[in-house]
Amino acid sequence: MAISELVRMPEVQADSPTHRRESHRPTITADANEAVASVAYRLSELVAVYPITPASPMGEWADTWATASRPNLWGVVPRVVEMQSEAGAAGALHGSLQAGVMSTTFTASQGLLLMLPNMFKIAGELTPVVFHIAARTIATHALSIFGDHSDVMAARQVGWAMLASSTVQEAQDFAVIAHAATLRARVPFMHFFDGFRTSHEVMKIEPVEDTTLRAMVDDTLVHEFRARGLAPEHPHLAGSAQNPDVFFQAREAGNPYYLAAPGIVEDAMDRFAELTGRRYHPFTYEGAPDATDVIIAMGSGATTAAVTAQSLREREGRKVGVLTVHLYRPFAVESFIKTLPSTVQRIAVLDRTKEAGAIGEPGRRVFHLQAIGGGISAAVIVEKSQVAILAQRIVEMLKDLSEGGSVQLPEESPTLRRRNPDLAEPLDPSFRVGTIALAWDP
């Protein structure tokens, strides 16, 4: 049964993020494109699209459901609009979001690049939205419709949270988590999964029902999003030109939202686990608890690596493991280090992007650290813009681990204070970046 024929079924208890346990409850058969589109469609009022391989089926599914007058979560049939390019789709979404309309789109490769100007604006205005990306290589010496991460990595500097799923089940589930988290965090999300390898992979998955979506998406946050939209009843000026002194202050004013985002994402993951039994984390480790060799990966390759590591442990007694990166932006370094086994000696960071001329590939900015503590040779994930800030901290953490110590995480780390009441609602829901309220007398 496909999602297009979805009926109300009970949620299925899952085992782990890789979902290897056979379930005795109903499942459906779908690929990631259909599974993700089902979630995005039910949580949107406007879907602005332009087709591009391998993301086109998501828009096609949305159009099919709208033509059949299938309502969204709030009983309204979403409007699906095909623009003349991905730039037009992003522009239409930017306008609809400014009006307080729940919106989404689907794209890949060069299509994502055409959206970048509007994506910078959407992020700078702290506007919640989710773009779903079937990651695909950017054409260089030749065009290729198959997958790497060069498109999403080309967009990593636009200020969007980046959530990566590795399987069809994760793609559906992370779509829910992204839509729920963006409303609370007010940071826009790119949810991406590997083109073709995951987008077109047909699998049995456990469906997400409307009841779960209602529990995940807080209507209060939806109302707050609408209240910030442009309206004659409460006019405000947006999109102005600013000199450097004011512009810089407005950019810095957005920092608390990005600091809070990782904790908000993990809270959404925990809530999703309570509702479905499928538990996720920003970083997932599978393997020997005392592993000396760890692979770090993101996307569909991580599942193959995890199965291989398990086989090496069982057949050869190798102390190996795999750490899968799900939340790539905002990147929580302390959480990443905490997830690594304390016994790690060697780390291999796999990447699916080529960035010619750089000191390392962009997905996992690599440091080669030699002769640290007890002789660790490691490559560590790090953002290009954070090299100067994070290098010393990472070296100190790995040195502590190599000496048998433990990493002490800051108690007040905004990326880890997940249950702190002060963080639950840390930000003014009516706050707008760089806007001016206008007097209005109806």
Side-chain angles (χ1 to χ4, degrees), residues 7 12 55 127 155 177 211 225 332 359 399 442:
V7 297
V12 182
T127 306
I177 291 166
T211 52
F225 166 63
I359 61 171
K399 184 175 181 180

Side-chain angles (χ1 to χ4, degrees), residues 49-347:
V49 298
Y50 189 80
I52 183 169
T53 302
S56 299
M58 288 187 278
E60 292 170 357
W61 279 113
D63 192 39
T64 299
W65 295 325
T67 302
S69 298
R70 178 166 298 182
N72 63 14
L73 192 65
W74 299 280
V76 177
V77 177
R79 183 178 180 184
V80 180
V81 181
E82 181 177 337
M83 306 300 291
Q84 292 183 323
S85 74
E86 291 85 356
L93 284 181
H94 185 200
S96 66
L97 292 169
Q98 284 294 299
V101 177
M102 301 282 285
S103 309
T104 193
T105 191
F106 319 105
T107 193
S109 191
Q110 264 83 358
L112 179 61
L113 300 190
L114 289 173
M115 297 183 173
L116 294 183
N118 280 284
M119 293 175 70
F120 275 103
K121 293 286 292 181
I122 291 169
E125 293 158 353
L126 295 175
T127 306
V129 67
V130 181
F131 286 11
H132 299 278
I133 316 298
R136 173 193 139 184
T137 188
I138 298 292
T140 52
H141 66 286
L143 180 145
S144 175
I145 63 173
F146 296 99
D148 67 11
H149 293 163
S150 57
D151 52 0
V152 292
M153 290 302 150
R156 67 190 186 276
Q157 76 276 23
V158 298
W160 287 47
M162 298 173 66
L163 192 63
S165 50
S166 304
T167 66
V168 177
Q169 183 72 67
E170 285 183 2
Q172 176 201 240
D173 296 350
F174 283 9
V176 180
I177 291 166
H179 278 274
T182 190
L183 283 168
R184 186 172 297 278
R186 291 189 57 189
V187 173
F189 274 67
M190 276 186 285
H191 165 230
F192 66 96
F193 45 93
D194 289 345
F196 284 114
R197 179 60 185 86
T198 304
S199 67
H200 286 64
E201 180 182 13
V202 178
M203 294 289 290
K204 287 198 305 181
I205 65 172
E206 303 158 4
V208 171
E209 302 300 328
D210 286 356
T211 52
T212 301
L213 293 181
R214 292 186 185 280
M216 288 292 297
V217 176
D218 189 342
D219 281 343
T220 300
L221 299 175
V222 176
H223 291 310
E224 291 174 355
F225 166 63
R226 292 196 188 284
R228 293 190 296 268
L230 293 168
E233 292 77 18
H234 47 83
H236 66 273
L237 182 149
S240 61
Q242 297 175 341
N243 285 332
D245 53 349
V246 176
F247 183 91
F248 179 78
Q249 293 180 58
R251 292 298 293 144
E252 290 300 299
N255 289 344
Y257 294 85
Y258 289 88
L259 292 174
I264 291 172
V265 171
E266 191 152 5
D267 279 340
M269 289 176 169
D270 290 348
R271 176 61 175 156
F272 187 82
E274 294 171 1
L275 295 168
T276 68
R278 300 191 291 276
R279 184 169 297 278
Y280 302 102
H281 301 283
F283 303 96
T284 300
Y285 176 76
E286 296 180 82
D290 58 347
T292 57
D293 300 273
V294 174
I295 284 178
I296 299 172
M298 182 165 58
S300 58
T303 58
T304 302
V307 172
T308 303
Q310 180 66 21
S311 176
L312 290 173
R313 290 178 61 201
E314 294 175 351
R315 297 183 180 184
E316 302 179 19
R318 299 275 295 276
K319 296 181 179 181
V320 296
V322 175
L323 188 148
T324 303
V325 178
H326 294 304
L327 184 64
Y328 178 66
R329 285 284 199 280
F331 194 89
V333 176
E334 294 91 346
S335 180
F336 164 68
I337 295 294
K338 182 180 179 180
T339 306
L340 283 173
S342 60
T343 53
V344 64
Q345 296 179 10
R346 289 168 294 274
I347 302 173

